[in-house]
Amino acid sequence: MRKTLCILVALVALVGLFFLIRDNSSDVYDDLAKREARRESQREANAFAEQHDLAKLAARGLGQAVPIHLVSQIDPSGDFWFVGIESSELGVQIPFEPGKIPDPPAETEPVHENPGFLGADACQSCHQEKHQSFVKTAHHRTSRLATAENISGSFESVGNRMQTADENVHFTMIERDGKFYQRVSFFDWQFEVPFHLVMGSSKMGESYLYWHGDQLFQMNCTYLSEVDDWINSPGYLDGDAIYARPILTGCLECHVTYIDHRKPPNHFTPGSLITGISCERCHGPGKEHVDFHLANPNVKESKHVSVPSKLSREQQMDICGQCHTAQKSPKDPRGFQFRPGDRLADHYDPVEGHDTSANSVHTSNQVARLQLSECFKQSEMACAECHNPHKPERGQTALFSKRCMSCHESEHCGMSDTLGERLAQNCIDCHMPVRASENLKVDTAEGSIFPPLRDHFIRIDPQATEEYLGAIKGDVSK
Ligand code: HEC
Ligand code: HEC
Ligand code: HEC
Ligand code: HEC
Ligand code: HEC
Ligand code: HEC
Ligand code: HEC
């Protein structure tokens, strides 16, 4: 009996040992296999990361390859590549081949000679005071290079993402080695486009342009000041990623001092660009004037320069009208041919129905609107009657109202009894109301936004009066 028990115990122990050994050895094999599998998947992950790490790829002049389940084809127009997916209407449009990155800005010689534009800094040494205040104006700031201090939108992990209404499409703003990129995540494909130029002083917002060789294009994401966030550029559909909209001469004529236009539609010489709207767009190219006064420091009379106040009223209006009118196309494809004293009509084709505030690019068409006003019709005023182009004066309502009162007695206003002293603080909101424009429609994941612009048709406007009285209700009696 004892013997049997012993054998049994020994047997159990043996079986146990067998299992123990077997288990152990299987553990060893499993471990090896698992480790190998892990190594393999790590290798795959590394290879995947290698193929997907946009920074590493970019260093080799490459972008991420398009996953095979996405549609990737050149548009029949031949102007851009399209990347999409069967299950969705959304799409990517880029002027460079998917899987590549945009070419760096071309280092080419200008095709045309610069007619003498220098930029505002060339005026600093002799016109210090004007220069100092001018560099703070919206004109000077309206275009600049895309550096950290010049881009208002956020690159921090909170705030650098623009989600579209489609969960598969979003944009991330990336900073790398002092350069800035919009990274597009379209389904499981990603690509990056570099910021090169900032357009807009950031009163309403900033749009961004980038170079692909000698071609300039607009970027999909814009910054909107009102919401302090990234949004789709005006006119873009939410969910698309459009980087193939060419920048035409007109856009630059209104927002930079000068650039050499190589050939239509959007070929320019990057090195010829003078950012900002400088003094010279209102006073003429400055080279001759500067050269003369540098060579003749004793001459106190100005030479080779235009002063708007010495021109006729029409000529003065035409200077501002280069940019503050309805959309127009230059007769000379080079652009930048208008000089102070010229007639606008000699340089631009006329536009139909130009006196509504809605038909202009995204300006509120100040020239034509002002011309509808009795103030304009029954006086000799031009834009400089109310605007000092050399100083930033935005938002100084009382100062502007003072300028109204250089021609009007506040007592003549029908609201003078109701508002008393207060009237003189703000003639503007009742007589030049701010109106949102259909032309500036911005599509966001939450709906459309229409940034407001001031209407220069000065008039009696019951609706604006009602709105203004509503807004200040409560402290009128004071
Ligand atoms: C080397 C000195 C110098 C530089 C640089 C210079 N100016 Fe002048 N500018 C003068 C002098 C001198 C006058 C005549 C005195 C005055 O009006 O201040 C003058 C006058 C002017 C006037 C007024 C003309 C008038 O008849 O009332 C304008 C406008 C002007 N300059 C524009 C510019 C612009 C734009 C630049 C830059 C592109 C510039 N200047 C650069 C020396 C200079
Ligand atoms: C070369 C084009 C161009 C010319 C010429 C031009 N402007 Fe402008 N102006 C612009 C642009 C672009 C802006 C918008 C700048 C921004 O906010 O980015 C602007 C903005 C303004 C503003 C708004 C400033 C602010 O801070 O809100 C005023 C006022 C103005 N211009 C008046 C004038 C007057 C007056 C003239 C003529 C003496 C004139 N402009 C000539 C292009 C031009
Ligand atoms: C006909 C001249 C004209 C053309 C063309 C034009 N703009 Fe403008 N743009 C203006 C003027 C004027 C304003 C200022 C509107 C205002 O303050 O009433 C402005 C305002 C802007 C603003 C908002 C600036 C701010 O913060 O207030 C941006 C951004 C902008 N333009 C970008 C562009 C881009 C990009 C293009 C070309 C694709 C373009 N514009 C074409 C004249 C023009
Ligand atoms: C948007 C158009 C515009 C820009 C930009 C501009 N000016 Fe003027 N400038 C004018 C107008 C308009 C007058 C006439 C002012 C008047 O009638 O009160 C003028 C007058 C002048 C005068 C002579 C009268 C005076 O006030 O002394 C000088 C000098 C001058 N500007 C220099 C400059 C300089 C330098 C810059 C750049 C730093 C510059 N301007 C930028 C439109 C402009
Ligand atoms: C250069 C002189 C001048 C300036 C500056 C001026 N106006 Fe006038 N304005 C006139 C004249 C002249 C008339 C027509 C006669 C009248 O009604 O007094 C007029 C008419 C008006 C009218 C009546 C319009 C109508 O259709 O009956 C209003 C309202 C008005 N101005 C408001 C303003 C406001 C607000 C400002 C400032 C933003 C201003 N004006 C700046 C000269 C000026
Ligand atoms: C009778 C006075 C008056 C005249 C003349 C006048 N403006 Fe203005 N303008 C104003 C006032 C007031 C504002 C609002 C300023 C503010 O709130 O900062 C303004 C604002 C602007 C703005 C900024 C628009 C915006 O929506 O923020 C531009 C651009 C402009 N004016 C251009 C012009 C041009 C170009 C002319 C000539 C065609 C002109 N102005 C003539 C009074 C005038
Ligand atoms: C609360 C809105 C409001 C403010 C602020 C305001 N106005 Fe008026 N204004 C009106 C209205 C409404 C009328 C028409 C009154 C009527 O017909 O009885 C008017 C009429 C006028 C007229 C035409 C008078 C006539 O009989 O032809 C002028 C000029 C005028 N305002 C100038 C000004 C000036 C200058 C200021 C600033 C000092 C100013 N307004 C501030 C609402 C306003």
Side-chain angles (χ1 to χ4, degrees):
M1 195 53 209
R2 227 157 149 212
K3 206 172 176 185
T4 330
L5 206 78
C6 263
I7 288 169
L8 220 92
V9 168
L11 228 117
V12 168
L14 237 142
V15 169
L17 199 71
F18 172 78
F19 274 105
L20 213 76
I21 288 167
R22 209 202 69 135
D23 252 356
N24 256 350
S25 72
S26 92
D27 256 12
V28 168
Y29 288 130
D30 267 9
D31 266 6
L32 278 174
K34 270 190 204 145
R35 232 175 285 155
E36 186 48 41
R38 232 178 287 137
R39 267 199 219 106
E40 179 57 26
S41 78
Q42 188 59 48
R43 266 195 297 272
E44 271 170 21
N46 285 349
F48 183 85
E50 191 79 5
Q51 280 162 23
H52 286 72
D53 185 320
L54 293 170
K56 284 198 184 128
L57 285 166
R60 287 158 48 206
L62 292 171
Q64 211 179 79
V66 182
I68 43 170
H69 60 273
L70 295 184
V71 180
S72 168
Q73 65 200 30
I74 196 158
D75 185 77
S77 69
D79 293 340
F80 59 86
W81 274 265
F82 171 84
V83 178
I85 187 164
E86 297 275 340
S87 60
S88 167
E89 286 183 355
L90 304 177
V92 171
Q93 290 178 12
I94 45 177
F96 50 93
E97 199 178 326
K100 294 199 174 153
I101 56 175
D103 294 340
E107 290 176 16
T108 47
E109 288 299 311
V111 174
H112 311 100
E113 198 186 336
N114 177 334
F117 289 106
L118 303 171
D121 288 350
C123 320
Q124 182 174 14
S125 59
C126 303
H127 300 283
Q128 197 123 29
E129 207 180 306
K130 276 208 169 56
H131 178 270
Q132 201 180 357
S133 58
F134 179 72
V135 293
K136 300 189 194 108
T137 62
H139 281 145
H140 185 72
R141 290 184 39 76
T142 197
S143 55
R144 47 213 193 277
L145 299 178
T147 59
E149 57 276 16
N150 284 343
I151 307 177
S152 300
S154 174
F155 286 83
E156 305 295 322
S157 59
V158 182
N160 72 338
R161 185 179 156 113
M162 189 187 103
Q163 181 59 51
T164 68
D166 189 301
E167 59 175 3
N168 298 303
V169 186
H170 71 266
F171 300 79
T172 321
M173 309 304 144
I174 307 281
E175 177 180 2
R176 191 166 60 237
D177 304 332
K179 294 195 177 122
F180 301 88
Y181 303 85
Q182 295 190 357
R183 175 178 292 177
V184 182
S185 304
F186 184 81
F187 291 81
D188 52 351
W189 181 49
Q190 293 196 323
F191 65 96
E192 287 178 347
V193 179
F195 287 83
H196 286 135
L197 266 181
V198 182
M199 303 288 272
S201 69
S202 193
K203 174 175 70 174
M204 291 181 282
E206 294 168 3
S207 282
Y208 307 97
L209 314 185
Y210 74 99
W211 289 104
H212 170 43
D214 69 357
Q215 288 184 285
L216 259 187
F217 295 95
Q218 183 160 7
M219 301 178 87
N220 191 97
C221 302
T222 277
Y223 169 79
L224 192 65
S225 307
E226 190 184 326
V227 294
D228 184 22
D229 210 348
W230 302 101
I231 52 149
N232 292 301
S233 290
Y236 284 48
L237 289 181
D238 183 62
D240 283 339
I242 309 294
Y243 288 84
R245 184 195 267 184
I247 293 298
L248 309 181
T249 338
C251 174
L252 298 170
E253 270 196 305
C254 288
H255 282 279
V256 311
T257 292
Y258 177 73
I259 193 167
D260 172 46
H261 187 205
R262 307 179 72 81
K263 66 174 186 209
N266 66 334
H267 296 264
F268 301 94
T269 307
S272 70
L273 172 65
I274 303 176
T275 54
I277 293 170
S278 79
C279 325
E280 297 163 290
R281 294 302 298 279
C282 299
H283 291 294
K287 188 166 188 312
E288 241 186 303
H289 172 71
V290 170
D291 286 350
F292 176 86
H293 286 288
L294 281 175
N296 302 279
N298 297 324
V299 179
K300 300 293 175 216
E301 291 270 294
S302 69
K303 286 275 189 304
H304 311 298
V305 69
S306 303
V307 192
S309 51
K310 291 181 188 158
L311 299 171
S312 75
R313 184 204 209 182
E314 281 66 34
Q315 288 169 319
Q316 291 180 47
M317 295 297 286
D318 277 0
I319 292 177
C320 311
Q322 291 176 79
C323 313
H324 291 283
T325 44
Q327 191 154 27
K328 56 200 176 36
S329 49
K331 288 181 176 169
D332 185 321
R334 283 176 295 170
F336 302 94
Q337 299 303 305
F338 178 93
R339 300 291 173 263
D342 287 1
R343 279 161 31 126
L344 212 51
D346 291 339
H347 293 279
Y348 298 96
D349 293 323
V351 260
E352 295 284 319
H354 64 97
D355 56 357
T356 71
S357 64
N359 73 345
S360 52
V361 209
H362 51 233
T363 87
S364 50
N365 203 2
Q366 292 90 2
V367 171
R369 294 299 280 177
L370 182 68
Q371 286 172 346
L372 297 174
S373 316
E374 290 305 320
C375 304
F376 183 87
K377 289 182 187 161
Q378 300 191 37
S379 81
E380 281 304 309
M381 69 158 58
C383 308
E385 190 81 39
C386 297
H387 293 292
N388 179 345
H390 310 109
K391 282 192 181 153
E393 296 187 326
R394 180 190 301 166
Q396 300 183 41
T397 313
L399 175 71
F400 283 109
S401 301
K402 221 179 244 160
R403 291 181 184 153
C404 309
M405 290 185 285
S406 66
C407 296
H408 295 289
E409 303 276 344
S410 57
E411 298 81 51
H412 289 166
C413 169
M415 293 307 290
S416 122
D417 287 347
T418 315
L419 290 173
E421 297 273 290
R422 182 174 191 132
L423 190 78
Q425 294 300 306
N426 187 351
C427 312
I428 318 300
D429 284 339
C430 291
H431 292 297
M432 298 180 67
V434 162
R435 291 275 179 260
S437 164
E438 271 293 322
N439 280 74
L440 236 181
K441 181 164 172 284
V442 189
D443 211 18
T444 74
E446 287 85 38
S448 298
I449 300 177
F450 302 89
L453 289 173
R454 202 166 282 283
D455 191 348
H456 276 62
F457 177 17
I458 305 172
R459 61 191 191 269
I460 294 166
D461 186 324
Q463 189 196 338
T465 296
E466 202 174 298
E467 283 166 14
Y468 179 74
L469 291 177
I472 62 164
K473 209 166 157 189
D475 34 73
V476 180
S477 48
K478 280 182 219 154

